[in-house]
Amino acid sequence: MNRDAHLNELGEFLRARRAELSPRTVGLPDSGTPRRVPGLRREEVAQLAAISTDFYTRLEQGRIQASAPVLAALARVLHLNDDQRDYLFGLAGKDQKRSRRRMLQKVQPQLQRLLDDLTATPAIVMGRRMDILAWNVLAAALVTDFGRIPEKHRNYVRLVFTDPAMRTLYSDWETVARTCAAQLRMEAAKYPDDPRLTALVGELSVQDPQFRQWWAAHHVATLSVGTKMLHHPVAGDLTLDWDTLTASTDPDQQLVIWTAEVGTPTHDGLRILASWAADHPMAASDST
């Protein structure tokens, strides 16, 4: 096939795969109202892939080419299997080596041992996309029981925007959430071809208008240091300083710790929380 034929076939292939999916399949609300055509709408695919509806429409019409990151996002949104993904990239004439999955993230053993030893300090390890790779018992008691969250959804930004409890836990939720969006934007610059990051942005853009607004503002921030104020149901009002330590063995992994000055009400509150956690077991992460 020549170039135009490839583009037309790519558009027809996308339309066929789109017709096979329902809103429920991709996590969108289903109103139950009959649709004029089967499957997802173009604008739904575009939103989930974090691209414009006009761009996706022209792609289906065979009028434009797509980059490898966009193709990776569409392959994820349309639930393509490996053969279908290879076919999609082949039609587009793209090398998909950079779009293949990165090695699964696993907490560094040194960081896991450090977490296990931090019994009086809440701490978590975050990886690419701000995924939560590991945590200690006190962090679970402070934020949420991470072990109860499916691993594929164990992401700090996703948690902040989708868990209603986070909006009451953080006294200034909006500032925390804005910062998370800016930090995720920085991650997107580091890993522009990461399909899971693209999926996360698409999901949050569809589900949360505030995230969509803040993401569009293109603010950026690094994961470094700061202060967070929390209203905890057990420990009460807490003002915690947080700091970030990057693992020398894997720059993608960062240890985030929350601390308070000795003798402050927050320090006492952490001791109360640690005592409470001892009576209400929550599993710390396990690197094995």
Side-chain angles (χ1 to χ4, degrees), residues 90-162:
L91 287 174
K94 300 294 183 183
D95 181 0
Q96 61 170 321
K97 289 181 181 179
R98 294 183 65 233
S99 297
R100 290 292 190 183
R101 291 181 179 178
R102 293 177 177 269
M103 185 180 300
L104 289 176
Q105 300 183 92
K106 186 176 181 181
V107 63
Q108 292 291 308
Q110 302 93 317
L111 293 181
Q112 184 65 60
R113 289 194 296 268
L114 181 56
L115 279 177
D116 295 339
D117 288 341
L118 290 174
T119 57
T121 302
I124 62 174
V125 174
M126 287 200 287
R128 297 188 304 274
R129 303 175 294 269
M130 298 174 70
D131 287 347
I132 299 167
L133 306 184
W135 61 92
N136 62 10
V137 171
L138 198 52
L142 178 68
V143 182
T144 190
D145 190 351
F146 299 108
R148 298 173 67 90
I149 302 173
E151 185 176 357
K152 65 180 181 179
H153 292 156
R154 207 177 287 154
N155 175 276
Y156 187 73
V157 184
R158 188 181 191 278
L159 184 66
V160 166
F161 279 94
T162 63

Side-chain angles (χ1 to χ4, degrees), residues 67-69 71-72 75 80-102 193 195:
S67 65
L71 293 173
L80 302 188
N81 60 33
D82 288 342
D83 289 342
Q84 292 170 330
R85 181 188 175 95
D86 289 341
Y87 184 66
L88 177 69
F89 274 78
L91 287 174
K94 300 294 183 183
D95 181 0
Q96 61 170 321
K97 289 181 181 179
R98 294 183 65 233
S99 297
R100 290 292 190 183
R101 291 181 179 178
R102 293 177 177 269
D193 60 340

Side-chain angles (χ1 to χ4, degrees), residues 16-53:
R17 301 288 77 75
R18 174 166 64 87
E20 295 174 342
L21 299 175
S22 67
R24 189 185 303 273
T25 303
V26 297
L28 293 175
D30 190 348
S31 64
T33 305
R35 297 186 170 216
R36 290 184 301 172
V37 294
L40 298 176
R41 298 187 177 99
R42 283 174 172 170
E43 57 266 28
E44 291 171 334
V45 175
Q47 282 186 324
L48 290 170
I51 58 179
S52 72
T53 301

Side-chain angles (χ1 to χ4, degrees), residues 257-277:
I257 57 174
W258 290 274
T259 61
E261 188 177 349
V262 176
T264 62
T266 294
H267 186 263
D268 294 338
L270 287 180
R271 296 178 63 183
I272 293 171
L273 186 60
S275 177
W276 177 87

